[in-house]
Amino acid sequence: MDFTLPNVLLRDPELIRDVSIKNFDHFTDHRSIISEDADPMFSKNVFSLRGERWRQMRNILTPSFTAAKMKFIFQLSSKCSEQFVDYLLDHPKYLTSIDARDMFNRFTIDVIASVAFGVNVNSMKDRENEFFVKGKDVFSSSFNSMVKLLALRFFPRLVKLAGITVIPTDTTNFFRKVIANNLKERKEQDIVRPDMLHLLTQAKDKTTTHELTIDDITSQAFLFFLGGSDSLANLLCYMVHELAVNPNIQERLHEEVNHYFEEMKGEISYETLSKMEYMDMVISETLRKYPSLVFIDRVCTKKFEFPPAAPGYDGAILYPDETIWIPVYAMHHDPKYFPEPEKFDPERFSAKNKDNIVPYAYLPFGTGPRKCIGDRFVQMLVKILMAEFLHKFKIKTTEKTQNPLVFRIDSFTPFPEKGFWIGLERRS
């Protein structure tokens, strides 16, 4: 049950395939938490849109996330990674014991500010810059305020009358102003910057089905900020934690990274990232053990009948507006699909073993047409940063490092009770 609403929980990979791909036309939408009237900024993004409007926006945005376009923004992402690592090299006093969550949160906000909003900031150096402060406001006011989310869901008219929104109005106005001023300056000065804002502007100029407004563009950029920076920071935190407590895995990954730095004479290119096979394996195993979503939901949009579980049984019927949950975290930790699920083992995703993974049992970015549109961007960014990071530093445990991790019970997504603490040792 989701409060008063019943859900069908799928635990069979073939049924997950049927719902998310084969019969996607019956399950095109996510459950709407907040109406567009209640909070346009939060609900106009491609994740929240439904029906034909989602389809139009997805078609507009998809070309912005091809491999060719990722190469387009690689340079900006790489620059942010180098800036981040250089700050740590210049401040060795911080290396003994570091709050990895704060560190990576600052990095991800910087890189998404650059890539999605066209703004250059350095939150490690300028620790209270306006972009970082507003970013903290977003997370403290939305995902950590369950009361507000519940009120918006169950009493939308009352909340609208009271003027309550998921994101504070001054924060929304800040991001909208950043986008509007940036677009105006680029148009007046004929500036072309290889970032997401440029790609969205190109999409705006080409679309004929649904004209993209400033609010539409801001909402998409805001989605990358809201979903990208938080989930990306978590992924990096879990990855460095596992590398710290598994030094043999860390050293093997370090050897691979060093090999390509030497081959490329101290530089890492976009093409080089695709050659880092063990890096791919470590990232995939991190996403398996610690997926950013506990479950994925789908709303039935037209009557659908599941096949009988076995001969002699009746099929199950779903009606419009009823919901399905796909339990990503549970699937990833089911020993039927991943033996010894609590063991961190990148070898599961080696060339020899990855074909043995049951299709649709591994869903770190979802699946089907509503799969996360930014999966390429996330993986590219993690590879860039971790290559720079491991080239310069050895990751170590400290007295504050919790192992094994114990999750808090009051968090919207799995988060360790004692946070993420690591130590860094500069490599010679």
Side-chain angles (χ1 to χ4, degrees):
M1 298 295 293
D2 176 14
F3 294 94
T4 59
L5 300 174
N7 295 300
V8 173
L9 187 73
L10 300 185
R11 61 178 187 175
D12 180 82
E14 290 187 12
L15 290 182
I16 292 172
R17 177 205 61 194
D18 289 348
V19 163
S20 58
I21 296 179
K22 187 177 178 181
N23 297 289
F24 175 74
D25 59 322
H26 291 260
F27 301 95
T28 57
D29 298 333
H30 292 300
R31 169 71 64 191
S32 291
I33 300 176
I34 302 156
S35 70
E36 191 170 323
D37 288 342
D39 196 329
M41 181 66 70
F42 193 85
S43 56
K44 279 188 174 184
N45 64 68
V46 69
F47 181 86
S48 301
L49 291 173
R50 307 178 75 182
E52 188 57 30
R53 286 201 61 195
W54 164 78
R55 204 177 302 274
Q56 291 173 354
M57 185 62 73
R58 179 84 182 197
N59 289 338
I60 290 169
L61 295 178
T62 296
S64 299
F65 288 90
T66 61
K69 294 299 173 65
M70 288 302 97
K71 186 177 179 180
F72 188 60
I73 61 174
F74 168 81
Q75 186 177 357
L76 291 175
S77 304
S78 183
K79 183 178 180 181
C80 288
S81 298
E82 291 173 7
Q83 172 183 278
F84 173 76
V85 171
D86 286 345
Y87 180 87
L88 292 174
L89 289 171
D90 293 338
H91 295 80
K93 63 181 180 180
Y94 294 134
L95 304 185
T96 306
S97 184
I98 297 178
D99 179 352
R101 174 62 183 178
D102 176 73
M103 175 177 68
F104 288 130
N105 196 40
R106 291 177 183 279
F107 166 73
T108 55
I109 284 179
D110 285 359
V111 76
I112 291 178
S114 177
V115 169
F117 288 87
V119 177
N120 289 319
V121 291
N122 187 340
S123 298
M124 293 291 285
K125 184 177 180 180
D126 182 8
R127 301 185 74 80
E128 295 300 318
N129 69 79
E130 189 173 14
F131 213 97
F132 180 75
V133 171
K134 293 298 183 184
K136 287 199 301 184
D137 287 346
V138 170
F139 297 116
S140 64
S141 64
S142 58
F143 288 107
N144 293 332
S145 180
M146 296 303 295
V147 173
K148 185 184 289 188
L149 285 171
L150 292 174
L152 282 159
R153 176 172 176 177
F154 292 108
F155 312 105
R157 293 182 181 178
L158 182 62
V159 169
K160 184 180 178 182
L161 287 172
I164 299 173
T165 58
V166 182
I167 312 301
T169 303
D170 63 329
T171 302
T172 299
N173 289 340
F174 168 76
F175 285 108
R176 186 183 287 112
K177 184 179 179 181
V178 167
I179 292 286
N181 289 345
N182 212 313
L183 290 176
K184 181 181 178 183
E185 183 178 341
R186 292 182 188 203
K187 186 174 182 179
E188 290 177 348
Q189 301 181 28
D190 198 24
I191 297 172
V192 176
R193 188 175 187 269
D195 57 17
M196 199 63 64
L197 191 55
H198 175 67
L199 299 178
L200 288 171
T201 305
Q202 286 184 313
K204 176 181 182 294
D205 294 338
K206 292 177 182 177
T207 182
T208 56
T209 54
H210 173 75
E211 183 179 354
L212 284 180
T213 64
I214 291 294
D215 274 2
D216 287 324
I217 292 175
T218 306
S219 187
Q220 307 320 311
F222 196 72
L223 171 64
F224 302 133
F225 186 84
L226 188 65
S229 58
D230 193 55
S231 59
L232 185 54
N234 280 344
L235 172 55
L236 289 166
C237 285
Y238 284 119
M239 188 169 173
V240 296
H241 170 81
E242 290 292 347
L243 292 175
V245 300
N246 294 284
N248 57 323
I249 294 175
Q250 179 181 170
E251 284 311 303
R252 182 175 167 186
L253 183 55
H254 171 246
E255 289 173 6
E256 180 182 71
V257 166
N258 264 14
H259 168 75
Y260 286 108
F261 266 102
E262 290 174 7
E263 185 180 273
M264 299 299 295
K265 295 181 172 54
E267 299 287 337
I268 292 292
S269 67
Y270 179 80
E271 289 75 18
T272 304
L273 296 180
S274 62
K275 299 177 183 178
M276 294 185 181
E277 294 181 2
Y278 197 64
M279 177 77 80
D280 280 329
M281 291 162 58
V282 173
I283 293 173
S284 295
E285 176 66 349
T286 306
L287 288 166
R288 180 204 65 83
K289 193 174 179 183
Y290 308 104
S292 59
L293 295 174
V294 176
F295 66 89
I296 303 167
D297 74 315
R298 292 289 187 274
V299 177
C300 183
T301 53
K302 53 185 177 181
K303 182 179 175 182
F304 180 79
E305 182 173 356
F306 284 104
Y313 285 78
D314 292 331
I317 297 177
L318 238 64
Y319 294 93
D321 211 34
E322 294 183 340
T323 308
I324 279 175
W325 278 3
I326 300 171
V328 176
Y329 188 92
M331 298 290 287
H332 287 194
H333 287 77
D334 190 334
K336 186 194 313 183
Y337 307 117
F338 300 99
E340 296 184 85
E342 297 309 315
K343 179 182 178 182
F344 187 79
D345 183 12
E347 290 301 322
R348 303 179 201 272
F349 296 91
S350 67
K352 180 177 69 174
N353 295 328
K354 63 183 179 182
D355 289 340
N356 296 328
I357 296 174
V358 176
Y360 307 99
Y362 179 66
L363 305 164
F365 295 103
T367 186
R370 289 211 78 136
K371 181 180 179 180
C372 175
I373 197 170
D375 60 334
R376 273 197 182 99
F377 171 70
V378 168
Q379 293 181 76
M380 178 188 73
L381 193 54
V382 172
K383 288 181 183 180
I384 295 169
L385 178 61
M386 290 311 299
E388 294 281 351
F389 204 68
L390 288 170
H391 184 55
K392 299 293 175 60
F393 297 109
K394 182 177 182 178
I395 307 166
K396 304 168 67 176
T397 59
T398 72
E399 291 181 357
K400 291 185 177 182
T401 304
Q402 186 183 42
N403 188 42
L405 296 175
V406 178
F407 294 135
R408 291 169 50 176
I409 61 171
D410 61 346
S411 178
F412 191 77
T413 55
F415 194 83
E417 286 180 344
K418 298 182 179 179
F420 297 96
W421 289 89
I422 59 169
L424 297 177
E425 179 183 306
R426 184 168 180 173
R427 295 184 186 271
S428 58

